Amino acid sequence: MFEVNDLYVRVGEAEIIKGLTLAVPAGETHAIMGPNGSGKSTLAYALAGRGGYEVTAGAARLDGADLLALTPEARAAKGLFLSFQYPVEIPGLSAIAFLKAALNAQRKARGLEPMPAPALLKLMREKAQALNINEDMLKRPLNVGFSGGEKKRFEALQMAVLQPRFAILDETDSGLDIDALKLVAENVNALRSPARGMLVITHYQRLLDYIKPDRVHVLARGQIVKSGGPELALELEREGYDKYLRAA
Amino acid sequence: MNGLAKRLSARDTSVQSRALGDALFSHLLPTRRAEGWRWSDIQSALNDINQRVRVPREEEWSESAEAAVAHSARAGNVIAALAAGTADGWYSSWGPPFSNTSNPMFDQLGEVGSVGGRELEANEELVVVQHLKPEGGLAAHCYDFVVGPGARLTRVLLQSGDGVALVSGRVIVREFGQLRQFVLAEGAKLARIETHVEIEGEGAEVELHGVYFCDAGRHADLTSVVTHKAANGKTKQLIKGVARKGGRGVFQGKIVVERGARKTDARQYHHGMLLEEGAEIFAKPELMIHADDVACAHGNTAGGLDESALFYLRSRGLAEAEARALLIEAFLLEAVPEWLPAAVRDEVEARIGAWLRS
Ligand SMILES: Nc1ncnc2c1ncn2[C@@H]1O[C@H](COP(=O)(O)OP(=O)(O)OP(=O)(O)O)[C@@H](O)[C@H]1O
Ligand SMILES: [Mg+2]
């Protein structure tokens, strides 16, 4: 369902992703691990369509559609979701107003009517409760003054409400305490289905204990240098990235 | 020098610029070289709307321009002098002397000019909402208030329309009095809203907030001077504005803390956002502190829309135009105070929303 082919991404003068190829079949969850600065977030941003992340070659498809030809909002409407490593603070815009605007914008792009307010409220409450997010937080300005863990839980809430086809989770585990990590993982797992795919970026095996990946990929030097089963994550935990970096 | 000049030098205790006084003597409008008018070219704005205007002499002032407005005019306030010359009556119909945020007094400012004001008695509350919408000519209005001990004046001014719109307000605040002001300026050929506040009593509190937005060919100028003359006073000012290509926003905010005004707490922030190449925002924040033991903070920024915020919203499916509108709306609404009467708040939000989606 999700394929990246020989992708090259440039940020400013630097070429960060250099010929990356990856495929996540429907129903599967893959993990990407890699050292700091190896380009994991760069890949995620480029796939989501962030300005300044210039794709110089290659292709990315979701359900056969050419993602790279689409605006960020059109990619979202196709069902792509990126959980940000660093969610953005937006003073003056309440979390709940934002979520409502986002859901209805996606519905509109898919030719659906806006969700009636009561149904929307009910949906948000229900999903928020499952993530232990209280309603006061929803009324606060988006991410402003949220703790690191609260921001990540709010990203998970957005995903639960927006129900994407394919989700990229960029270090969802960073900033979460142990209980919150379990809770977020449960909510992410609840979204796993034969029709959905996920790409989980993480540094730690711990997240993968909860969100069990079908495949694990190592990103280094701008490419996927090694792919394997869940045991690859355990090996990395033991041995680090040294041998993949030296293999250059 | 004539008699007027002598009176001016003897009575000019205000901090209004002497350059304005010079313009008044010559009966000419201030040029861009006059202090306080550098970014607001009133002469060429009036040329553009084919208005020939000179500042009226004192003998030409309307009888209804009572002592207070006359004081401002003599002190060199050009808007006050213009208003004094064109007003057709003293306007202070804001009675009975009771109103509050759920029961504000509404008032449509006229096409030409008006002078007015009110002295609030001790502990009185007055909420005045003024709409100003000139249709293309020159409108000059001058208002003068005294906020008595423990009294509270809430003043809202909503400016739209075309032409040259000038408003000057002067407010004297006595001990434990409160002034809360909010201005929405949509700009015009030239719109200038001046506010002069003198804190004369201890423990007074002043809030001066405002929002401006300027399309191509529109100019909005929010200018204010707050003078703390007594101890334990508080001033809070938050002005936010945006300009599109060919629009110009001006913020000039001066806060003066005089020697006796110990324990003054003054906070002033102005944040402008340039929405397109070719938009202009000029700002001159000034804090002049002559007292000890004073808490002051200020901030002044002008920049573009935060690209990472824009991407965040778009990545969630919001179309670019809508994402921009939401972000700018959020930016501006921060300067819209909680205490606005509900109906006024709705109107302000609707006007901002309509402009952003126009
Ligand atoms: N605007 C930019 N200009 C130049 N280089 C940049 C820019 N943004 C990122 N980079 C560089 O790109 C490289 C990849 O960064 P990226 O954030 O994708 O790494 P990452 O794998 O997500 O790291 P981490 O594990 O720390 O999150 C880094 O070396 C970074 O310094
Ligand atoms: Mg990263």
Side-chain angles (χ1 to χ4, degrees), chain B:
Chain B
M1 285 290 203
N2 55 21
L4 178 61
K6 273 190 231 111
R7 262 205 310 274
L8 177 69
S9 45
R11 297 178 59 165
D12 186 12
T13 52
S14 90
V15 288
Q16 288 160 359
S17 130
R18 200 146 297 130
L20 302 191
D22 294 343
L24 205 53
F25 301 139
S26 60
H27 308 283
L28 295 174
L29 291 161
T31 65
R32 294 181 52 209
R33 280 195 297 277
E35 195 189 329
W37 293 90
R38 177 140 67 108
W39 297 308
S40 292
D41 189 343
I42 190 170
Q43 297 200 356
S44 72
L46 287 166
N47 268 335
D48 288 350
I49 61 164
N50 289 316
Q51 288 256 356
R52 278 173 194 287
V53 178
R54 63 180 182 77
V55 180
R57 295 163 203 276
E58 182 158 0
E59 55 271 25
E60 296 167 315
W61 293 353
S62 154
E63 273 178 35
S64 52
E66 286 180 12
V69 166
H71 169 93
S72 292
R74 284 194 195 100
N77 185 317
V78 171
I79 299 174
L82 287 168
T86 54
D88 54 4
W90 177 257
Y91 194 96
S92 75
S93 65
W94 301 308
F98 179 77
S99 69
N100 54 38
T101 36
S102 43
N103 191 22
M105 307 272 170
F106 287 95
D107 170 17
Q108 181 79 46
L109 293 181
E111 279 295 308
V112 182
S114 68
V115 290
R118 182 78 198 284
E119 179 156 353
L120 276 69
E121 288 166 20
N123 303 317
E124 194 189 333
E125 163 134 46
L126 178 66
V127 181
V128 182
V129 180
Q130 296 183 308
H131 285 83
L132 172 62
K133 191 180 180 183
E135 277 169 12
L138 166 67
H141 302 271
C142 185
Y143 284 79
D144 214 287
F145 295 90
V146 176
V147 178
R152 180 161 76 186
L153 171 65
T154 301
R155 181 173 180 243
V156 179
L157 184 69
L158 307 177
Q159 177 271 322
S160 58
D162 295 300
V164 174
L166 307 173
V167 181
S168 177
R170 175 166 173 253
V171 186
I172 293 170
V173 189
R174 306 236 197 268
E175 60 271 21
F176 301 104
Q178 272 187 60
L179 164 66
R180 307 189 298 190
Q181 176 174 288
F182 175 75
V183 173
L184 178 72
E186 299 192 7
K189 183 77 222 165
L190 188 152
R192 164 126 158 171
I193 318 289
E194 276 184 26
T195 310
H196 302 268
V197 181
E198 288 160 49
I199 296 180
E200 293 193 343
E202 287 210 12
E205 293 185 13
V206 172
E207 286 183 50
L208 292 184
H209 306 305
V211 166
Y212 60 85
F213 45 82
C214 312
D215 257 324
R218 288 185 163 259
H219 179 126
D221 171 341
L222 300 191
T223 291
S224 61
V225 181
V226 178
T227 309
H228 282 261
K229 300 179 173 177
N232 292 308
K234 266 191 192 160
T235 294
K236 253 171 42 182
Q237 181 168 33
L238 175 60
I239 308 285
K240 288 198 160 191
V242 292
R244 288 192 181 130
K245 179 180 179 171
R248 176 182 283 198
V250 176
F251 166 72
Q252 305 183 101
K254 188 189 282 190
I255 297 182
V256 183
V257 180
E258 292 190 349
R259 187 160 306 151
R262 287 170 304 103
K263 296 199 184 297
T264 289
D265 184 336
R267 287 159 209 280
Q268 179 193 68
Y269 298 94
H270 166 258
H271 301 292
M273 201 188 269
L274 301 155
L275 300 182
E276 291 164 358
E277 197 92 7
E280 294 180 308
I281 289 177
F282 296 98
K284 188 179 180 192
E286 278 179 282
L287 288 177
M288 300 169 71
I289 299 162
H290 306 293
D292 298 327
D293 197 10
V294 166
C296 284
H298 59 113
N300 175 48
T301 58
L305 194 65
D306 176 359
E307 290 297 323
S308 59
L310 184 63
F311 172 65
Y312 189 61
L313 263 54
R314 294 180 72 190
S315 80
R316 297 299 181 248
L318 289 157
E320 182 177 0
E322 184 56 22
R324 274 181 196 279
L326 271 179
L327 287 173
I328 300 164
E329 204 161 31
F331 169 77
L332 292 177
L333 286 178
E334 280 205 306
V336 179
E338 291 294 312
W339 44 254
L340 280 190
V344 176
R345 191 181 171 93
D346 290 348
E347 180 180 347
V348 168
E349 288 180 3
R351 283 215 214 170
I352 291 173
W355 182 76
L356 286 172
R357 291 166 181 87
S358 67

Side-chain angles (χ1 to χ4, degrees), chain A residues 25-69:
Chain A
E28 291 195 6
T29 294
H30 290 199
I32 288 188
M33 303 181 82
N36 291 133
S38 57
K40 302 180 297 298
S41 295
T42 301
L43 173 67
Y45 284 144
L47 292 172
R50 182 171 192 157
Y53 290 73
E54 192 198 345
V55 175
T56 51
R61 297 183 180 281
L62 175 56
D63 293 329
D66 176 8
L67 280 181
L68 302 178

Side-chain angles (χ1 to χ4, degrees), chain A residues 165-229:
Chain A
R165 290 269 298 150
F166 190 82
I168 302 171
L169 309 182
D170 192 357
E171 294 197 26
T172 291
D173 48 344
S174 69
L176 290 176
D177 66 42
I178 296 161
D179 297 330
L181 179 65
K182 278 189 207 163
L183 201 61
V184 167
E186 271 169 30
N187 279 270
V188 170
N189 285 331
L191 284 169
R192 290 173 78 165
S193 85
R196 255 191 210 112
M198 288 186 203
L199 192 57
V200 178
I201 296 169
T202 184
H203 286 293
Y204 302 107
Q205 167 60 32
R206 201 182 52 192
L207 177 71
L208 304 181
D209 287 340
Y210 297 113
I211 304 175
K212 296 215 158 53
D214 298 289
R215 303 277 294 163
V216 175
H217 308 277
V218 180
L219 174 53
R221 296 175 278 114
Q223 297 181 339
I224 301 296
V225 292
K226 168 99 183 173
S227 298

Side-chain angles (χ1 to χ4, degrees), chain A residues 225-245:
Chain A
V225 292
K226 168 99 183 173
S227 298
E231 71 287 349
L232 180 55
L234 295 167
E235 180 206 303
L236 291 169
E237 185 104 328
R238 277 195 317 272
E239 297 173 16
Y241 296 108
D242 220 28
K243 86 176 173 206
Y244 300 106
L245 292 173

